Amino acid sequence: MGKVYRAEDPELGREVAIKVLPAEVADDPGRLTRFRREARAVAALDHPGVVTIHSVESSDDVHFLTMELVAGDPLDLVIADAGVSTERFFDIATKLAGALGAAHERGIVHRDVKPANVMIGEDGRTKVLDFGLARFLPEGPSSEFDHTHTATTAGIVLGTPGYM
């Protein structure tokens, strides 16, 4: 739903990732709501396996999120050719399961888990990204969220079919 750029925060002197809502959908209230819900989902998760969000911003009708920059490669590139060893597989899978488990404990379901949405940091960290299709569950402990809006429409499939 957004394009991600590498940038520098001159105030804090650090590199960040900036996710920009494309201009062609920024006028759509539903897309803007979903973009903000993504930020709320990520902000609700204080877990080493989930990317950290710094802020939700807008300037001249451009909407964007600033997030932690995870230097490394998405999992789809890590496994692209030769795959990974069994030991590395279990290391990544365990970290990924921990991050998703933390989200589920907060009543948040990612709904678009795929290798492109998992970053493997140069230091070996595994981080889950892109909560743009996340859903807040009413039975979860995350009662601070509005559960009446699921951001989906009957008959519309969201996500990546090969990973659903």
Side-chain angles (χ1 to χ4, degrees), residues 123-146:
D123 58 0
R125 294 180 302 153
T126 298
K127 292 274 191 171
V128 180
L129 313 172
D130 199 350
F131 280 75
L133 298 181
R135 180 169 185 194
F136 302 110
L137 300 177
E139 65 273 11
S142 56
S143 60
E144 69 270 21
F145 297 111
D146 174 11

Side-chain angles (χ1 to χ4, degrees), residues 2-101:
K3 186 152 178 126
V4 180
Y5 299 93
R6 183 181 202 136
E8 183 174 336
D9 180 338
E11 192 69 31
L12 297 176
R14 67 177 174 189
E15 287 190 300
V16 295
I18 297 177
K19 183 172 184 177
V20 179
L21 186 64
E24 60 270 12
V25 297
D27 289 339
D28 179 342
R31 291 286 184 101
L32 188 53
T33 297
R34 182 171 297 189
F35 195 68
R36 288 184 179 136
R37 286 172 53 83
E38 173 181 7
R40 291 183 71 192
V42 174
L45 302 172
D46 182 15
H47 189 275
V50 176
V51 68
T52 301
I53 188 163
H54 299 309
S55 66
V56 179
E57 308 282 343
S58 63
S59 177
D60 297 327
D61 295 326
V62 175
H63 302 276
F64 58 96
L65 311 176
T66 61
M67 301 176 288
E68 160 190 22
L69 177 68
V70 182
D73 291 310
L75 182 57
D76 58 346
L77 292 182
V78 171
I79 62 175
D81 295 325
V84 294
S85 68
T86 303
E87 181 179 323
R88 184 72 176 125
F89 167 81
F90 282 111
D91 178 57
I92 293 169
T94 301
K95 291 174 182 173
L96 180 57
L100 294 174

